[in-house]
Amino acid sequence: MPEVKLASEYGFCYGVERALEIVEKMRKKGVEFDTLGPIIHNPQVVAELEKKGIKAVERIYDTPKPYILIRTHGVPPNVYKEAEKLGKKIIDATCPFVANAQKMARKFQDEGYLVVVVGKQHHPEVKGIVGNTNGKAIVVGSGEEAKKVDVRGKKVGVVAQTTVRLDLVQEVISEFLEDAKEVRFANTRCNTTQKRQDETREMAKEVDVMVIVGGKNSSNTRRLYEIAAKNCKRAYHIEKKDELRKEWFYNIDKVGVTGGASTPPEIVREVYEEIKKILFKGGTYGGEKGDGE
Ligand code: SF4
């Protein structure tokens, strides 16, 4: 009989849950606000909020409302100043792990370190961290990029985008060890991310098919998918159960399911239940092959 395994931790992480609680609290108080960018990288959640009248705006002056909510990714300090200039009040839902990365980058900068952020240059979280160093921090996304940073005789302070892989941080740091005068690393990675990545890796090694649930634009979900694809021949990244295809599960023994930190837990659960239906009720196990991919 085939087996469907659900990760022990899936669905909203602490930071996202906290941000959504802040949204609800503010709504109940009757505070009028929009969010600066989508509150989380999940289209269903963003659509739900829109129905409640809370829009994701690109810039602060795009909202006519008196309050603007800063999402978990955080923002550079100039955004707070801009809000003040425009007479808007801030509801700050920056995840505490992200706020810590911003703080550590500022600290390194103040202590005269060359700040290096390991992460994705254009990710909003990284932009917020770099903004906390007056734009001076250097962002590197690979060991190759780290090689190009001139660290000769310098004190280097490394911080990480919260969702970054540990092996990438190690790769970057090892490039600095020979030439830098000193290298310090503030481990600003988030526990949730690490735990989910570890579990995904282990699960992917064990199963025949791995299904990762979450927004296609969610960095942490995509990372889970990358890890799954590296360790399992058949890994799929979907946003909701309708995207499942019977042929993925033809003649297999084990399926693993997990979800990104911005994925509502019920959506992961729905996918898990649907796979069980396909396997046990749909008769795909050892049965007719589907329509092809
Ligand atoms: S994944 Fe971690 S850092 Fe990102 S919002 Fe969730 S708890 Fe915060």
Side-chain angles (χ1 to χ4, degrees):
M1 279 294 273
E3 187 190 346
V4 190
K5 295 181 87 173
L6 183 60
S8 62
E9 230 186 84
Y10 59 90
F12 294 147
C13 62
Y14 160 72
V16 167
E17 219 161 69
R18 179 177 171 272
L20 293 171
E21 272 167 26
I22 293 173
V23 166
E24 276 315 301
K25 213 160 96 189
M26 291 297 144
R27 252 173 38 83
K28 278 187 189 143
K29 277 192 188 167
V31 175
E32 285 186 28
F33 65 99
D34 285 322
T35 65
L36 190 57
I39 180 136
I40 53 171
H41 285 150
N42 186 280
Q44 291 94 336
V45 174
V46 174
E48 271 306 305
L49 286 184
E50 272 215 20
K51 275 192 218 156
K52 293 175 183 169
I54 301 165
K55 286 198 187 119
V57 295
E58 252 180 65
R59 292 152 306 189
I60 299 179
Y61 52 81
D62 289 337
T63 177
K65 298 176 186 165
Y67 283 80
I68 186 90
L69 183 136
I70 304 294
R71 58 192 176 166
T72 55
H73 293 323
V75 289
N78 64 317
V79 173
Y80 292 86
K81 285 188 195 133
E82 195 191 337
E84 205 182 323
K85 243 199 255 164
L86 293 167
K88 305 276 182 198
K89 294 205 177 87
I90 296 260
I91 303 167
D92 201 342
T94 305
C95 173
F97 288 110
V98 176
N100 182 48
Q102 295 177 344
K103 188 184 93 186
M104 291 314 295
R106 266 196 320 270
K107 187 170 178 287
F108 281 146
Q109 168 94 355
D110 293 347
E111 291 174 3
Y113 285 77
L114 168 69
V115 183
V116 172
V117 183
V118 186
K120 288 195 173 140
Q121 182 95 43
H122 300 294
H123 192 282
E125 180 192 319
V126 172
K127 286 184 184 167
I129 297 171
V130 173
N132 272 272
T133 63
N134 297 319
K136 289 189 180 143
I138 297 171
V139 182
V140 296
S142 66
E144 280 309 303
E145 283 177 27
K147 275 189 189 136
K148 294 178 196 149
V149 182
D150 182 8
V151 295
R152 281 171 301 173
K154 291 180 187 160
K155 298 195 297 179
V156 183
V158 180
V159 297
Q161 183 181 347
T162 52
T163 47
V164 112
R165 295 191 326 264
L166 182 61
D167 57 346
L168 177 58
V169 177
Q170 287 166 332
E171 213 179 301
V172 167
I173 289 177
S174 67
E175 291 298 335
F176 298 152
L177 294 178
E178 204 172 313
D179 292 335
K181 183 176 168 196
E182 183 189 335
V183 180
R184 283 185 65 193
F185 170 53
N187 193 357
T188 51
R189 296 171 66 254
C190 137
N191 285 343
T192 311
T193 308
Q194 177 72 62
K195 271 207 233 143
R196 290 182 192 208
Q197 290 178 357
D198 290 347
E199 189 175 20
T200 301
R201 187 175 300 104
E202 288 318 305
M203 202 186 246
K205 284 180 191 163
E206 262 182 55
V207 299
D208 305 301
V209 177
M210 208 44 213
V211 178
I212 312 294
V213 193
K216 293 270 161 70
N217 56 351
S218 153
S219 175
N220 76 79
T221 308
R222 282 208 308 263
R223 178 70 65 221
L224 290 183
Y225 169 71
E226 280 166 19
I227 291 170
K230 212 170 159 184
N231 293 283
C232 177
K233 278 195 193 127
R234 294 165 69 187
Y236 301 99
H237 177 180
I238 61 169
E239 288 187 348
K240 48 190 188 313
K241 67 173 184 183
D242 314 353
E243 294 168 51
L244 288 168
R245 302 179 69 166
K246 281 185 182 168
E247 58 269 24
W248 295 349
F249 309 102
Y250 173 70
N251 226 0
I252 49 102
D253 282 324
K254 276 187 189 169
V255 182
V257 181
T258 190
S262 49
T263 315
E266 61 276 13
I267 293 186
V268 183
R269 191 97 210 157
E270 271 172 26
V271 168
Y272 168 72
E273 295 299 337
E274 189 64 22
I275 295 173
K276 284 205 294 191
K277 262 194 228 161
I278 292 174
L279 281 171
F280 303 119
K281 292 191 189 144
T284 37
Y285 183 65
E288 288 297 309
K289 213 171 181 176
D291 292 327
E293 285 182 50

